Structure formats: C-alpha cells, structure tokens
Amino acid sequence: MKIAGIAQRSAFTVLTVAAVTLGTVAATAPGAYAAPSAVPAHKLKHDNPSAGQGPSAAAAGARIAASPAIARAEVIKRAKSWVNKGLRYSMDGTTYEGYRTDCSGYVSMALGLPKKGLTTDGFVPSAAHWITKDELKPGDALNNPNPGKYGHVTLFEEWTDSTKSKYWGYEFSSSGVHHRVIDYPYYARYDARNYRPMRFNNIKDDGSGGYDIGTHDLTSADFNGDGKPDVVAAEQDTGRLWLYSGDGKGSIGGGGNRKMIGTGGWNGMHELTAGDFNGDGKADLIGVEESSGELFLYAGDGTGSIGGGSTRKRIGTNWDSMQNLVAGDFNEDGKTDIIATETESGELFFYAGDGAGNIGGESTRKRIGTNWDSMQSLTAGDFNGDGKTDVIGVEKGDEGKLFLYAGDGTGSIGGGGNRKQLGSNWTSMRELTGGDFNGDGKTDLIAVQNNDKTLWLYAGDNAGGVGAGGSRKNIGVNW
C-alpha cells in the first residue's frame, strides 16, 4: 500500500492484465461509516490452529496420483500467494481459487492437489508419506492427521537456527493465513505430540536454495530528497531492502542502479508503507514484524537510507491482526496517518498520526468502513486531483475490478455506491503503488504483473483514472 508524493503500500493477486474500462459498481461494495461508535480492542480474540475443515475433495487415488510433479520453490511460491489477502477461515466448504479456505485446503492448494483439497486425515498415504524431522525440506509439511477440528497442517519452509526447535512456516489458522515462526512440531498448547513430518509424493527437489518470488512490499516516497518519488522493496530470497531511485520521467533505477539500504531480515517484515511520520520532512518507513506482530518505525535520513536495527522505534503491538496498511494525510492536518483493515472483522480503521513518529492506537482509532476484507492491493494518493488523499484497491474475485474511493479530507473515504470502477482483471497484478512517477503533477500507479514479474506504469489523469485507453508502460523486469 502506498501514497503519492510521500506515502504508500501494497498486496497480492493472480491472472492477466486488460485494458482499463469504466463499469458499474457491485452492490456488495465496502461501506463507509458516517459516525462510527466505539471499537473493540486492537487484537485478535483468538488464534486457534483449526476450527474445523470442510468436506474433502471426492478425489480418488488415481486423480491424486496423476497430479503433476511440483518443485519445492513452486510450493512455497503458491503458499505465499494467499498471505495478506484477508482470507477468512471457513468450516463450511467455502473456496478461494477452487480450494477450501481452511488449513488443509490451503496446503492442498500449495501442493497443487485436486480441488477442493484433501483433509488432514486424507493426505497419507494417498498423496503423501511420513518422513523424519531431519529429512524436512522446504515444501514439506507438519501434519496432525486427526479429522475435523482436531486436525491441522502447516507447511515447512526452513529452520530458524541450528537447534531445530522452531521453523518458518505457512499456515491457515482461525485468524487467517500466516507466514511466521512456529514451534516444532507445533505449539505445545495445541496437541503438538500428534504432529508428524510429511512429504508430498509428487514433490521434486529443485536445488535452488532460494525461491523465485522476487520483490515484495513495494512502497513509494521521495527517499533521497531530490523531489522525485522513489520505490523501496524487499527482496524475498535474500531479505535485503533496496532503493530504486525515480527519474521523474516514469522510470525507476533498476539492476546496477539500485541501492541496498537493508542487509537482511526484511523478508520477515510485511505491510511496509512510507511517509513522513516524524515530521522532519524526510520519508520514513513503517512495517509489521511477522514474528512478533509489532509495528516499527524506521526513520529516513533524506539521502535514500533509513534507520535499522538498534535505531528503529516500536510504535505498536498486535498489528498482525491488521492488513493492507496505507499511509497518507487522510484528515488534512499535515501529518501522515494510516488506514488498515482488521483481518478478523473486515472493518477499515483510520489511525491518526501525531507528526512525531506515532499513530493513534486502539482507543483512538476510528472505524471508517465495513466489508473491506473483500479488497486487496490498496494504495493511496490524490488520484482525482481535488487535493485530498484517495484510496485505490482491487476487489477479490475472478473479475478483479479496480476501484477508486475518494477521500473527504476528514479521515474517511467514499464507500458503497460512492466508489468508482476504474478497470478489471487487476488480479493479474500485485504490489500496487501510487505516486507522480512521470512528473506531470498527476498521481500515477505502478504494479508488478504476476506471471512474468514485469513492472508497469499506469499514468494518472487527475480525474481518478489510471492507464487511460489501456495504455501502460513497461519500466522493469524481474520484480
């Protein structure tokens, strides 16, 4: 998710881009609140591994055996594609991309098994076999094979250290899809003794040692102080943070022109968004630490670097309950604020910035919308030229509609019937980021195309549109 000039942010998606067209607004649009009342505490009420599982695919062994071989890197890439999409755990067989939205449906998706997916008690022996702890490799799993709410399964990525007591894994728990550190084999309070290492029968070693996921959490602001918006992005396989300087003509520095501003560990951060949060006139970065759920501020120095490690400032806790963080001056007080979606409720909240590096917490946040778990890939900027910060986002679903939500300058944005459709097929893109990249005074949009990791510029028209007439410009590869 991100914003024009000095703030923005991002998310995920899956298909092929098409010409931008205007259309009608769906009746199930996210709603806006005129006078929100008190809101609950800013934290998840629960995070149980499994609330139950939907019915297993009526997939006979022959269909499973016929599943194509899949590389370990591809399993991890597929698992990551559901992270930060706001998917809700379901026990009634609800599906996304053809797979059940529960723990075993998610793992079945990552492994490319027949839709709607197997259940925890059906993986072995039809689709997988048991292995030992020391045999675990990326793309293997830890499975509690009990049925229904008594079973649960996680995907293994890598050990956190040589003790092999914790691992980085992917799981769909009752609070959503997570990429996080998990106790081996699972948390003690959740029947850990019944979890066993498991390997998919058709998985193949690729020897890559890393995963071709490219960059994530693109965000834009003028980090180097030259008056042109730049892009910052985390590199998934190395954990490095990179600065790509903008030239003010619609392109950004790539390859040998990029500058490393973080040496490692940034693949453990997500929801990066940029803005001048501490009021010193320099673009800063904030992000959520996946392992702790804490929100951190990294102060910018105005030359393209940001403070790291010992100089970062913790400004919030329990932010793993939120997603789609977007920065901007939404209430027009000259200070950078944040809006974000609460994963569990789907409600959109406004957090006012104080201009000193802090943002409003649970007691002062303002609820400004509902049903925002139906949206992804949010980014912010003045897209309609009225001087107020707006939000653009992609509606989940096969059509992938792109919508503009106009800001009102008081901390709220247009919802429901007030939103404007800008295009369709935007689920083919990810990492949407706004800014005046071509220097014409209008807020543009850049985005990464999923199928080939190319970076594209969609020029803004200052009337709420981007990429008029289907025009877009390729400005990068290997993103």
Coordinates of all heavy atoms in Angstrom, one line a residue, residues 11-18 74 77-85 87 96-99 109 115 376-377 394-401 424-432 447-453:
A11 N 0.0 -5.3 -1.9 CA -0.5 -6.6 -1.6 C -0.4 -7.7 -2.7 O 0.7 -7.6 -3.3 CB -2.0 -6.5 -1.2
F12 N -1.3 -8.6 -3.0 CA -1.1 -9.7 -3.9 C -2.2 -10.0 -4.9 O -3.2 -9.4 -4.7 CB -0.9 -11.0 -3.0 CG 0.4 -11.1 -2.4 CD1 0.8 -10.3 -1.4 CD2 1.3 -12.1 -2.8 CE1 2.0 -10.4 -0.8 CE2 2.5 -12.2 -2.2 CZ 2.8 -11.4 -1.2
T13 N -2.0 -11.0 -5.8 CA -3.1 -11.3 -6.8 C -2.7 -12.3 -7.8 O -1.8 -13.0 -7.7 CB -3.5 -9.9 -7.5 OG1 -2.5 -9.1 -7.5 CG2 -4.6 -9.3 -6.7
V14 N -3.6 -12.6 -9.0 CA -3.2 -13.7 -9.9 C -3.7 -13.8 -11.4 O -4.2 -14.8 -11.6 CB -3.6 -15.1 -9.3 CG1 -2.4 -16.0 -9.3 CG2 -4.3 -15.0 -8.0
L15 N -3.6 -13.2 -12.5 CA -4.2 -13.6 -13.8 C -3.5 -12.9 -15.0 O -2.3 -13.1 -15.2 CB -5.7 -13.3 -13.9 CG -6.7 -14.3 -13.3 CD1 -8.1 -13.8 -13.2 CD2 -6.7 -15.6 -14.0
T16 N -4.2 -12.0 -15.8 CA -3.6 -11.3 -16.9 C -4.2 -9.9 -17.1 O -5.4 -9.8 -17.1 CB -3.6 -12.1 -18.2 OG1 -4.7 -13.0 -18.2 CG2 -2.3 -12.8 -18.5
V17 N -3.4 -8.9 -17.3 CA -4.0 -7.5 -17.3 C -4.7 -7.2 -18.6 O -4.4 -7.8 -19.7 CB -2.8 -6.5 -17.1 CG1 -2.0 -6.3 -18.4 CG2 -3.4 -5.2 -16.7
A18 N -5.7 -6.3 -18.5 CA -6.5 -6.0 -19.7 C -6.7 -4.5 -19.7 O -6.2 -3.8 -18.8 CB -7.9 -6.6 -19.6
E74 N 8.1 -23.8 -6.1 CA 6.8 -23.5 -6.6 C 5.8 -23.7 -5.4 O 4.8 -22.9 -5.3 CB 6.4 -24.4 -7.7 CG 5.0 -24.2 -8.3 CD 4.8 -22.8 -8.9 OE1 5.8 -22.1 -9.2 OE2 3.6 -22.4 -9.1
K77 N 6.1 -20.7 -3.3 CA 5.5 -19.5 -4.0 C 4.0 -19.5 -4.0 O 3.4 -18.5 -3.7 CB 6.0 -19.5 -5.5 CG 5.6 -18.4 -6.3 CD 6.2 -18.5 -7.7 CE 5.8 -17.3 -8.6 NZ 6.4 -17.4 -9.9
R78 N 3.4 -20.7 -4.2 CA 2.0 -20.8 -4.1 C 1.4 -20.5 -2.7 O 0.4 -19.9 -2.5 CB 1.5 -22.2 -4.6 CG 1.7 -22.4 -6.1 CD 1.5 -23.9 -6.5 NE 0.1 -24.3 -6.2 CZ -0.8 -24.3 -7.1 NH1 -0.6 -23.9 -8.4 NH2 -2.0 -24.8 -6.8
A79 N 2.2 -21.0 -1.7 CA 1.7 -20.8 -0.3 C 1.7 -19.3 0.0 O 0.8 -18.7 0.6 CB 2.7 -21.5 0.7
K80 N 2.8 -18.6 -0.5 CA 2.9 -17.1 -0.2 C 1.8 -16.3 -0.9 O 1.4 -15.3 -0.4 CB 4.3 -16.6 -0.7 CG 4.6 -15.2 -0.3 CD 6.0 -14.8 -0.6 CE 6.3 -13.4 -0.1 NZ 6.2 -13.2 1.3
S81 N 1.3 -16.9 -2.0 CA 0.3 -16.1 -2.8 C -1.0 -15.9 -2.0 O -1.8 -15.0 -2.4 CB 0.0 -16.9 -4.1 OG -0.8 -18.0 -3.9
W82 N -1.3 -16.6 -0.9 CA -2.5 -16.4 -0.1 C -2.3 -15.5 1.1 O -3.2 -15.1 1.8 CB -3.1 -17.7 0.3 CG -3.9 -18.4 -0.7 CD1 -3.9 -18.3 -2.1 CD2 -5.0 -19.4 -0.5 NE1 -4.8 -19.1 -2.7 CE2 -5.5 -19.8 -1.8 CE3 -5.5 -19.9 0.7 CZ2 -6.5 -20.7 -1.9 CZ3 -6.5 -20.9 0.5 CH2 -7.0 -21.2 -0.7
V83 N -1.0 -15.2 1.4 CA -0.7 -14.4 2.6 C -1.1 -13.0 2.3 O -1.0 -12.4 1.2 CB 0.8 -14.5 2.9 CG1 1.2 -13.5 4.1 CG2 1.3 -15.9 3.2
N84 N -1.7 -12.3 3.4 CA -2.1 -10.9 3.3 C -3.2 -10.6 2.3 O -3.3 -9.5 1.8 CB -0.9 -10.0 3.0 CG 0.2 -10.0 4.1 OD1 -0.1 -10.2 5.2 ND2 1.4 -9.9 3.7
K85 N -4.0 -11.6 2.1 CA -5.2 -11.4 1.2 C -6.5 -11.3 2.0 O -7.5 -11.1 1.4 CB -5.3 -12.6 0.2 CG -4.4 -12.5 -1.0 CD -4.8 -13.4 -2.1 CE -3.9 -13.1 -3.3 NZ -4.3 -13.9 -4.5
L87 N -8.1 -13.5 3.7 CA -9.0 -14.7 3.6 C -9.4 -15.1 5.0 O -8.6 -15.2 5.9 CB -8.3 -15.8 2.9 CG -7.9 -15.6 1.4 CD1 -7.1 -16.7 0.9 CD2 -9.1 -15.3 0.5
Y96 N -11.7 -20.5 -2.3 CA -11.0 -19.4 -3.0 C -10.1 -20.1 -4.0 O -9.3 -21.0 -3.7 CB -10.2 -18.6 -2.0 CG -9.4 -17.5 -2.6 CD1 -10.1 -16.3 -3.1 CD2 -8.1 -17.5 -2.7 CE1 -9.4 -15.3 -3.7 CE2 -7.4 -16.4 -3.3 CZ -8.0 -15.3 -3.8 OH -7.4 -14.3 -4.3
E97 N -10.2 -19.6 -5.2 CA -9.4 -20.2 -6.3 C -9.6 -21.7 -6.4 O -8.7 -22.4 -6.8 CB -7.9 -19.9 -6.2 CG -7.6 -18.4 -6.3 CD -6.1 -18.0 -6.0 OE1 -5.4 -18.9 -5.5 OE2 -5.7 -16.9 -6.4
G98 N -10.8 -22.1 -6.0 CA -11.2 -23.5 -6.1 C -10.8 -24.4 -5.0 O -11.2 -25.6 -4.9
Y99 N -10.1 -23.9 -4.0 CA -9.7 -24.6 -2.8 C -10.4 -24.1 -1.5 O -10.7 -22.9 -1.4 CB -8.2 -24.5 -2.6 CG -7.4 -25.3 -3.6 CD1 -6.9 -24.7 -4.8 CD2 -7.1 -26.7 -3.5 CE1 -6.2 -25.4 -5.8 CE2 -6.4 -27.3 -4.4 CZ -5.9 -26.7 -5.6 OH -5.2 -27.4 -6.5
M109 N -3.8 -26.6 -1.9 CA -3.5 -25.6 -3.0 C -2.1 -25.4 -3.2 O -1.6 -25.4 -4.4 CB -4.2 -24.2 -2.5 CG -4.0 -23.1 -3.5 SD -2.3 -22.2 -3.4 CE -2.3 -21.6 -1.7
K115 N -8.7 -30.0 -6.6 CA -9.6 -29.1 -5.9 C -10.8 -29.9 -5.4 O -11.1 -30.9 -6.0 CB -10.1 -28.0 -6.8 CG -8.9 -27.1 -7.4 CD -9.4 -26.1 -8.4 CE -8.2 -25.3 -8.9 NZ -8.6 -24.3 -9.9
Q376 N -8.2 -5.9 -1.8 CA -6.8 -6.2 -1.6 C -6.0 -5.2 -2.4 O -6.5 -4.4 -3.2 CB -6.4 -7.6 -2.1 CG -6.7 -7.8 -3.6 CD -6.6 -9.3 -4.0 OE1 -6.7 -10.2 -3.2 NE2 -6.4 -9.5 -5.3
S377 N -4.6 -5.2 -2.3 CA -3.7 -4.4 -3.0 C -4.1 -2.9 -2.9 O -4.1 -2.2 -3.9 CB -3.7 -4.8 -4.5 OG -3.3 -6.1 -4.6
V394 N -8.1 -3.3 -5.3 CA -8.6 -4.4 -6.2 C -9.6 -5.2 -5.4 O -9.4 -5.7 -4.3 CB -7.5 -5.3 -6.7 CG1 -8.0 -6.4 -7.6 CG2 -6.5 -4.4 -7.5
E395 N -10.8 -5.5 -6.0 CA -11.8 -6.3 -5.4 C -11.5 -7.8 -5.7 O -11.2 -8.2 -6.9 CB -13.2 -6.0 -6.0 CG -14.3 -6.7 -5.3 CD -15.7 -6.2 -5.8 OE1 -15.9 -6.3 -7.0 OE2 -16.5 -5.7 -5.0
K396 N -11.5 -8.6 -4.7 CA -11.2 -10.0 -4.9 C -12.2 -10.7 -5.7 O -13.4 -10.3 -5.7 CB -11.1 -10.7 -3.5 CG -10.0 -10.2 -2.6 CD -10.1 -10.8 -1.2 CE -9.1 -10.2 -0.3 NZ -9.2 -10.8 1.1
G397 N -11.8 -11.7 -6.4 CA -12.8 -12.4 -7.3 C -12.2 -12.5 -8.7 O -11.2 -11.9 -9.1
D398 N -13.0 -13.3 -9.5 CA -12.5 -13.6 -10.9 C -12.4 -12.3 -11.7 O -11.5 -12.3 -12.6 CB -13.4 -14.6 -11.5 CG -13.3 -16.0 -10.9 OD1 -12.3 -16.2 -10.2 OD2 -14.2 -16.8 -11.0
E399 N -13.2 -11.3 -11.5 CA -13.2 -10.1 -12.4 C -12.1 -9.2 -12.0 O -11.7 -8.4 -12.8 CB -14.6 -9.4 -12.3 CG -15.7 -10.2 -12.9 CD -17.0 -9.5 -12.9 OE1 -17.1 -8.4 -13.5 OE2 -18.0 -9.9 -12.2
G400 N -11.7 -9.2 -10.8 CA -10.5 -8.4 -10.4 C -10.7 -6.9 -10.6 O -9.8 -6.2 -11.2
K401 N -11.9 -6.3 -10.3 CA -12.2 -4.9 -10.6 C -11.3 -4.0 -9.7 O -11.1 -4.2 -8.6 CB -13.7 -4.7 -10.3 CG -14.6 -5.4 -11.2 CD -16.1 -5.2 -10.8 CE -17.1 -6.0 -11.7 NZ -18.5 -5.8 -11.2
S424 N -10.7 -3.6 -14.8 CA -11.0 -5.0 -14.5 C -9.7 -5.9 -14.7 O -8.8 -5.4 -15.3 CB -12.2 -5.6 -15.2 OG -12.0 -5.5 -16.6
N425 N -9.8 -7.1 -14.3 CA -8.6 -8.1 -14.5 C -7.4 -7.6 -13.7 O -6.3 -8.0 -14.1 CB -8.3 -8.3 -16.0 CG -9.4 -8.9 -16.7 OD1 -10.1 -9.8 -16.2 ND2 -9.7 -8.4 -17.9
W426 N -7.5 -6.9 -12.6 CA -6.4 -6.4 -11.9 C -5.9 -7.4 -10.9 O -4.9 -7.2 -10.2 CB -6.7 -5.1 -11.2 CG -6.5 -3.9 -12.1 CD1 -7.4 -3.5 -13.1 CD2 -5.4 -3.1 -12.2 NE1 -6.9 -2.5 -13.8 CE2 -5.6 -2.2 -13.3 CE3 -4.2 -3.0 -11.6 CZ2 -4.7 -1.2 -13.6 CZ3 -3.2 -2.1 -11.9 CH2 -3.5 -1.2 -12.9
T427 N -6.5 -8.6 -10.8 CA -5.9 -9.7 -10.0 C -4.7 -10.3 -10.7 O -4.1 -11.2 -10.2 CB -7.0 -10.8 -9.7 OG1 -7.7 -11.1 -10.9 CG2 -7.9 -10.3 -8.6
S428 N -4.4 -9.8 -11.9 CA -3.2 -10.2 -12.6 C -2.0 -9.5 -12.1 O -0.8 -9.7 -12.4 CB -3.3 -10.0 -14.1 OG -3.5 -8.7 -14.4
M429 N -2.2 -8.4 -11.2 CA -1.2 -7.5 -10.8 C -1.0 -7.6 -9.3 O -2.0 -8.0 -8.6 CB -1.5 -6.1 -11.2 CG -1.8 -5.9 -12.7 SD -0.6 -6.4 -13.8 CE 0.7 -5.1 -13.6
R430 N 0.1 -7.2 -8.8 CA 0.3 -7.1 -7.3 C 1.2 -5.9 -7.0 O 1.7 -5.3 -8.0 CB 1.0 -8.4 -6.8 CG 2.4 -8.7 -7.4 CD 3.0 -9.9 -6.8 NE 4.3 -10.3 -7.5 CZ 5.5 -9.8 -7.1 NH1 5.6 -9.0 -6.1 NH2 6.6 -10.2 -7.8
E431 N 1.4 -5.6 -5.8 CA 2.3 -4.5 -5.3 C 1.9 -3.2 -5.9 O 2.7 -2.4 -6.4 CB 3.7 -4.8 -5.6 CG 4.2 -6.2 -5.2 CD 4.2 -6.4 -3.7 OE1 4.1 -5.4 -2.9 OE2 4.1 -7.5 -3.2
L432 N 0.6 -2.8 -6.0 CA 0.2 -1.5 -6.5 C 0.7 -0.4 -5.6 O 0.7 -0.5 -4.4 CB -1.4 -1.4 -6.5 CG -2.1 -2.0 -7.7 CD1 -1.8 -3.5 -7.9 CD2 -3.6 -1.7 -7.6
A447 N 2.7 -1.2 -10.8 CA 2.3 -2.5 -10.3 C 3.1 -3.6 -11.0 O 3.6 -3.4 -12.1 CB 0.8 -2.7 -10.6
V448 N 3.3 -4.7 -10.3 CA 4.0 -5.9 -10.8 C 3.0 -6.9 -11.4 O 2.0 -7.2 -10.8 CB 4.8 -6.5 -9.7 CG1 5.6 -7.8 -10.2 CG2 5.8 -5.5 -9.1
Q449 N 3.3 -7.3 -12.6 CA 2.5 -8.4 -13.2 C 2.9 -9.7 -12.7 O 4.1 -10.1 -12.8 CB 2.6 -8.3 -14.8 CG 1.6 -9.2 -15.5 CD 1.5 -8.8 -17.0 OE1 0.9 -7.8 -17.3 NE2 2.0 -9.6 -17.8
N450 N 2.0 -10.5 -12.3 CA 2.3 -11.8 -11.6 C 3.0 -12.8 -12.5 O 4.0 -13.5 -12.0 CB 1.1 -12.4 -11.0 CG 0.6 -11.7 -9.7 OD1 1.4 -11.6 -8.8 ND2 -0.6 -11.3 -9.7
N451 N 2.5 -13.0 -13.7 CA 3.0 -14.1 -14.5 C 4.4 -14.0 -15.0 O 5.1 -15.0 -15.2 CB 2.1 -14.4 -15.7 CG 2.0 -13.2 -16.7 OD1 2.6 -12.2 -16.4 ND2 1.4 -13.4 -17.8
D452 N 5.0 -12.8 -15.1 CA 6.4 -12.6 -15.5 C 7.2 -11.7 -14.7 O 8.3 -11.4 -15.1 CB 6.4 -12.2 -17.0 CG 5.7 -10.9 -17.3 OD1 5.3 -10.2 -16.3 OD2 5.5 -10.5 -18.4
K453 N 6.6 -11.1 -13.6 CA 7.4 -10.2 -12.7 C 7.8 -8.9 -13.4 O 8.8 -8.4 -13.0 CB 8.5 -11.0 -12.0 CG 8.1 -12.1 -11.1 CD 9.3 -12.6 -10.3 CE 10.3 -13.2 -11.2 NZ 11.4 -13.8 -10.4

